[in-house]
Amino acid sequence: MGRYAPLSERGALAYALREGLIATVAGQDLLVAARHGRNSAFILRAPANRPGLFLKQARDGNAADAAIGREARLLLALEGQGITPPLIRWDESAGIICVAEIEPAPVPPLPRDAVRALASALARLHRLPPPATQDAVPPLVTDPRFWHGMAERAPLFADLVRQAPGLAQDCMRAGAIFRRSAMVHGDAKVQNLLMPPGRPAALIDLELGGAGDPAWDIGCMIADALMTALLAASDEAGFEQAVQDAADWTAAGLAAYGTPLHPRDPADLGRMAALACVTSVFTQLQGVQDLTRAPLSLMQMAIGGLADPAGFWAALHAG
């Protein structure tokens, strides 16, 4: 844990009131938007369903300070583009909290619609030139340092690596295709999307973003769709249907995305998607004691994708 005490729901509300970010919020209107990884995220909705706040706390000491600063700079750079919500405040040195204004969220859409909305938002982002002052964080699994000490950090993942001894080398070699050709999000998934009614979807949680490879964002979107579908399955038939569902969602997303990536070698796109699947599995297995079918299935798909990336990319269009 970092040096900051993690915010609770009451703490998030107290911070917003103390800093003058909101004048008043009824207690029952405070909603927890998400909790994932080392971050906590909250939606503070004002009375009468007026626009409220999205408030995030990253809890990782000095690394969190840097991440909040990175995200704030990107939000400022993207202000007025209609791709991200407007930045209200960031507290890099003390509270490591990033705050952005949002519209009240609608009823969550079907997964297929959510993937389409995410893809459309990414297409708008990727059409922007890359920022000259901030590089995106490259895929974690392409960094040799990631693989050192793996057994201590995630024993189950280390077991998978032993079953596929060439995985680390394949991931690091695949990292050579990472290009810095556009403004990218860095952690593209439906959870990092706000969908206000009557307006285009907005991207949040850009702490990994900057000048990077748009294919990585698409790969993350695909890995998110696959993991979401697999986690919802309960038996063998369900897993087969989950893969078909994810392929359908992915095909819909790629159709909505259009052509900002082209021309691009399908094998490069397949490798990026496979890298994102490996990263997604690692994220799922941190702190987990038992290996479940969903991450195992996704890892098997990722290993196949690294071996035959062009075929993997073609399969993702099969929905």
Side-chain angles (χ1 to χ4, degrees), residues 10-303:
R10 286 182 176 273
L13 177 58
Y15 178 88
L17 289 168
R18 183 175 67 249
E19 299 299 323
L21 301 175
I22 51 177
T24 179
V25 169
Q28 63 269 25
D29 291 321
L30 177 64
L31 304 178
V32 177
R35 289 182 180 273
H36 56 92
R38 293 188 176 91
N39 298 336
S40 296
F42 307 91
I43 288 178
L44 281 66
R45 186 162 300 156
N49 209 35
R50 293 195 301 273
L53 303 174
F54 174 81
L55 187 151
K56 184 183 76 172
Q57 182 189 42
R59 302 194 306 273
D60 196 16
N62 292 329
D65 293 346
I68 290 299
R70 286 176 54 84
E71 183 166 0
R73 287 188 290 273
L74 275 188
L75 287 170
L76 288 171
L78 291 168
E79 198 165 25
Q81 299 284 348
I83 298 172
T84 57
L87 177 68
I88 295 177
R89 176 188 176 89
W90 78 95
D91 195 345
E92 187 174 349
S93 62
I96 58 167
I97 295 171
C98 187
V99 182
E101 186 177 14
I102 63 165
E103 296 282 350
V107 175
L110 295 172
R112 190 175 192 270
D113 296 332
V115 174
R116 284 181 59 87
L118 175 59
S120 296
L122 290 175
R124 288 183 282 128
L125 180 68
H126 293 166
R127 291 188 180 98
L128 299 177
T133 57
Q134 183 164 311
D135 285 346
V137 177
L140 180 67
V141 293
T142 65
D143 187 340
R145 293 171 296 182
F146 168 81
W147 301 96
H148 297 324
M150 174 60 65
E152 290 75 22
R153 293 201 309 275
L156 289 177
F157 192 77
D159 289 341
L160 288 176
V161 172
R162 281 191 287 271
Q163 295 173 34
L167 180 62
Q169 289 73 23
D170 287 344
C171 288
M172 288 186 283
R173 279 195 296 268
I177 66 173
F178 189 81
R179 306 175 184 176
R180 303 192 185 279
S181 59
M183 176 78 82
V184 302
H185 183 281
D187 189 20
K189 53 190 176 185
V190 169
Q191 190 178 34
N192 289 334
L193 194 68
L194 297 176
M195 288 171 277
R199 293 175 53 188
L203 296 165
I204 57 173
D205 208 2
L206 283 84
E207 64 187 56
L208 301 180
D213 195 328
W216 172 245
D217 276 352
I218 295 300
C220 290
M221 179 188 78
I222 290 168
D224 182 48
L226 287 166
M227 183 64 88
T228 298
L230 290 168
L231 286 172
S234 58
D235 54 27
E236 191 68 31
F239 274 93
E240 293 179 5
Q241 183 61 48
V243 174
Q244 294 179 20
D245 289 343
D248 176 68
W249 304 343
T250 294
L254 292 171
Y257 181 81
T259 60
L261 278 174
H262 298 294
R264 191 70 185 266
D265 184 350
D268 282 0
L269 300 173
R271 286 190 186 92
M272 278 295 183
L275 288 174
C277 289
V278 176
T279 302
S280 179
V281 173
F282 173 75
T283 302
Q284 286 289 326
L285 292 187
Q286 291 187 90
V288 173
Q289 300 301 317
D290 297 312
L291 182 62
T292 60
R293 176 67 187 274
L296 178 59
S297 296
L298 189 57
M299 179 60 79
Q300 291 170 341
M301 294 176 68
I303 292 170

